[in-house]
Amino acid sequence: MNAEALQALTPILTLSGVIILLMLIVAFLRNHRLTLGLTLLGIAVTVWSTLNVSPLLETDPIAVTGLLVVSRESLLFYLLFLLSAAVVSILAFHSFEQGTAIQPEDSGEKRNKGDFHTRPTFQEEFYLLLLISLLGAIVLVSASHFATLFLGLELMGLALYALIAFPAIHANRNSRSKDQALEAGFKYLVLSALATAFLLFGIALIYAQYGQLQFAAINAAAAAGQGTPVLLAIGLVLLLIGIAFKLSLAPFHFWTPDVYQGAPTPATAYVATVSKGAVIAITLKLFSDIGAFEMRAPMQVFAVLAVTSMLAGNLLALQQENIKRLLAYSSIAHIGYLIVAFLVGRQEFGREAVIYYLVAYIVTTLGAFAVVSLTADYARRANTQSSPYRISFYKGMFWRSPWLATSFTMMLLSLAGIPLTIGFIGKFYIFAAGVQAGYWALLSAVILGSAIGLYYYLRIIVMMVQRPGAVVHDDASSGEVSPGEVSPSAKLTHEGVSIAISGQMVLAVLTVALLAFGIFPQILINWIQ
Amino acid sequence: MQDYIGWVPLLPFIGFVLLAGAALFRKQEIPETLSAIIGAGSVGLAALLVALIGREFLANGAEPFTVTAWQWIDTGGLQAGFSFYIDGLTLVMLGVITGVGFLIHLYSAGYMRGDDGYRRYFSYLNLFVSAMLILVMADNLALLYLGWEGVGLCSYLLIGFWYKDAANGAAARKAFIVTRVGDTAMAIGLCVLFMHFGTLDIQQINGEAGAPGVDAGIATLAALLLLGGAVGKSAQMPLQTWLPDAMAGPTPVSALIHAATMVTAGVYLIARTHPLFEASEFAMMAVATVGALTLFIAGCSALVQSDIKRILAYSTISQIGYMFFALGVGAWSAGIFHLVTHAFFKALLFLAAGSVILSLHHEQDIFRMGGLRKKMPVTFLSFVIGCACLAALPFTSGFYSKDAILLQAWNHFGGLHWLWLLGTLGAIVTGVYSFRLLLLVFFGKEGSASKHCNDANTAIMSGPLLVLCTLALAGGLLTLPLAGVFTTDPAQTGQLVINHTAEIIAIAAPLIGLAIALFAFRKGWFAENAGSKTWFGKQLAPWWRNGWGFDAAYDALLVRPFTGLAGLNKSDIVDSFYKFTIQVSQVLHRQLSATQTGQLRWYAMTMVAGSIFILALVALL
């Protein structure tokens, strides 16, 4: 390993160093605020080192041993994930301060604010786990070898199980929400294990053919005519099943709503953005390195999964009453859209579309979950009895907290793909890519899905602008969750309760990014190119 | 000074922006006085500017000039700028709009005092003046159309100004929709002109239309379509039905929009494009026929109304009919002259009517008035002068203009013609209804409402009334700088032959009307229920009162079938498609939701099943 390769590795090394340092500090000094500060500082240092690496890569990516490749594209993902993790940690901080993180779903029982702070807590570990998972994501997107791919994926995943089930560590707390978190973590663990089995089997099949685990080497061997192409295709399809699980593509999506709902909202935001983004990024890389874009079977499987995801995701979200489940279903659909562009990933334009849509999806989803998280926090502070995760809770929100409602409206419009938002440009890219490749059936599924999507996004917006106390003619009711109490928001008496400044700033940054990239997409396009 | 012409429409527009924008910056209403100063002041400044520019214009020998503010549209051969063409005709219009407009603004400042929408009122009024100025200054038809629609919008806003009463909203919609029929014709006319001449520049079109060898068919088509727009905006047959209902707005609005300025836009349009009309014999005849029929029909309707504002509304329709008649017989400058004098005396009459209405606590029924001459001297004076001008008694301003129209019509037709007869009959009718109004309101016994009369004229209201009195009396002495505009008008070229028979008849007609009115008043024929047993009272009067049944006919022929059709289409096949979509989505949603059981074993099983499905797919494909 030469000096250049070592330098290319600095972001990963920096982040690892930060993790070890933070672990040591937490071991001796537990201070929530300090931990957040150190986490953000660590992320900032890693961002700085990432930016320092970038001049090295003007021309070619740098291969670090046979396991990792650092390219400009992977640096873009580094930055994206690092910034997302920063947002997630700020949200987590507020959640812990309000106690919502360890009690994500309202149990209806009486709460005392002081109650939570009197007993020893382990909230600092959340940031540690977050950083470890982030390290996994970063390793994953730079993988050029199946071993690193597996390593990154599992590093990311293992930390994630703990993040999802985080409220469960408060063993002396006997509530439904704790069970729910534990259940969510456990479901994710078991199903992930199953998915990983598929993944490993796929890798094994490929290895059996070529005796190679490096992407480029496999491609070279396949091009040289070794092995059986059919087995390579089947190996890739099995691999794809593992990936589809992580991306929650239908029909491997069943865990998504339960996990999204059970996990603390910041962890949900992380699962929805970084974890999925990293998998998309590595899949894109794997497919182009290994030449899978030329193979029929995996592409067709992907196309089928895209269609089922778009339709199932949107249909499931249609009358959903729980905001976190709704966003879960919507994310299923969004990854479905993304796959449409992914199918054109062989061409430069397709890659661009995938990355642009991914950025749009991450910015918007983070924003949406930020609103959900902050809303829950303030509902907690206002000590409301009704669940802040019900859509009905958002009724009249525009009149209570116009700022939150406005940002949420922006996020929802972006998710729906309305012009002037980043989501529109993203969807436009998808269409352009799809039209270029002539995927008419897929595009009609995109249109159908978007039309259904508009209904449930707009429904929330309509809900938010209704005057509190107005009679609602909303005949929607979900088959899963019984409708909430009548207009719980009417009972809210929290004049003067405001959301924290840093939370507002996070929202402001995300909203501005959403609008800025929606109105001037060229800035982001230039970065991607 | 001429370079500053762009400020003429801009000043009222700035007034509008300030007044409308005030709500954004202040939670409370701004003081009424400030609204009035911005509203009236901006128009006053514009009037001053017009006066200065006009003086310079006349000093320079009335040479037309063009000022371009900026290029507005430049696409596919269509070029339209915010450019203004100023000649004698435009200047006359500018003077009327800003001058009379300013007086009406002043009057409004007193009239509207205490209204909740004081600021809103002046903002609309300013926007209206701005749009109207753009309309008359435009050097191309696209910009003219902008102003045209702008005044339509303001008219809608001001008719429905007191929107809390549903009837006012209905009147506003009616005005908007009926004029829209004409506007559509006009828009098509613009397209025809653009297709044929390749430009919308008015002077170019005029030049080409005036040149020999122009396609008469195209000219007729375009002229008739423009006439369609003009009859809509100017409330002529068959689109006159909106104007009487437009009286739902505040009275000064009726004075400004529905008498003095906006409704004359149609007259202006035809005068502005007169070479096009002259190129088509048929179009000219159509204009004259529309005008003559309208003036007679509306005059008869005015004769039997009982609402003071409706009488004036019908008289407006009738007087604009005279203008159209004048245009149709080629008496261009006489038509414009009548437009100017009409603006003076009709604004005067409406404002005076406003004073009456306000003084009688919003009573508009003339049968409950009477004997007001002692109680409201200024208003009485205004009404006497206004009615005399309206009836065209000798030596009032209305006399000079109307006389010129009838005389030129006689010459045009070369003797007796049924249209000329209609015009002369109309003059008699005008005399009768003018003095019927005057006599019933100010003479005779006090009506029930007169007893509570409380002269509401303040200085700011009396002032404009007196100025308008002077203008209405002396307006006939004005010489309009139209010689350079209407080169084919005999009155401008000095070829006007004066036929003494026609002259005498024209002078006599209003006097006959006056005599009839006095006689009938003596006999008590004007009383509320007089002659209700006769054929006239039973059949003719109600028919005339309802505007010759046009409303009822349109209701039966257009509105009912349309709403009927719309009702039939209410639950159409397209809707059921959407309902079906919703149902399918809901069913699918429920079925898919049922798969989210929350059970881990089921989830694991679906994953395995999904994998088998996908592998089977690969095997099959």
Side-chain angles (χ1 to χ4, degrees), chain B residues 6-26:
Chain B
W7 283 91
V8 173
L10 192 59
L11 279 167
F13 191 75
I14 291 171
F16 160 71
V17 170
L18 286 178
L19 288 168
L24 293 178
F25 302 107
R26 282 178 58 108

Side-chain angles (χ1 to χ4, degrees), chain B residues 319 322 326 333-342 345 389 392 396-408 476:
Chain B
Q319 295 306 306
Y322 272 107
S333 51
I336 295 300
F337 191 27
H338 196 56
L339 188 158
V340 173
T341 58
H342 173 255
F345 66 71
C389 293
T396 60
S397 61
F399 165 73
Y400 291 105
S401 50
K402 201 180 279 179
D403 210 33
I405 293 172
L406 289 176
L407 188 63
Q408 279 189 257

Side-chain angles (χ1 to χ4, degrees), chain B residues 380-509:
Chain B
F380 174 56
L381 176 72
S382 310
F383 246 97
V384 169
I385 294 172
C387 285
C389 293
L390 176 58
L393 292 188
F395 310 116
T396 60
S397 61
F399 165 73
Y400 291 105
S401 50
K402 201 180 279 179
D403 210 33
I405 293 172
L406 289 176
L407 188 63
Q408 279 189 257
W410 176 276
N411 289 346
H412 178 81
F413 294 121
L416 206 58
H417 190 276
W418 67 280
L419 288 177
W420 179 85
L421 260 180
L422 269 182
T424 311
L425 263 179
I428 298 174
V429 171
T430 309
V432 178
Y433 72 72
S434 307
F435 288 104
R436 170 179 176 263
L437 173 65
L438 183 71
L439 292 167
L440 279 177
V441 173
F442 289 96
F443 291 87
K445 277 206 312 254
E446 282 194 2
S448 54
S450 301
K451 296 191 176 70
H452 312 289
C453 174
N454 185 5
D455 195 345
N457 274 349
T458 51
I460 203 159
M461 290 161 72
S462 306
L465 283 179
L466 293 173
V467 175
L468 282 170
C469 283
T470 319
L471 286 173
L473 274 181
L477 307 175
L478 286 174
T479 322
L480 302 179
L482 297 174
V485 187
F486 304 119
T487 47
T488 52
D489 188 343
Q492 297 295 342
T493 49
Q495 297 163 326
L496 189 62
V497 188
I498 296 175
N499 182 306
H500 291 287
T501 322
E503 180 93 14
I504 288 165
I505 294 173
I507 294 171

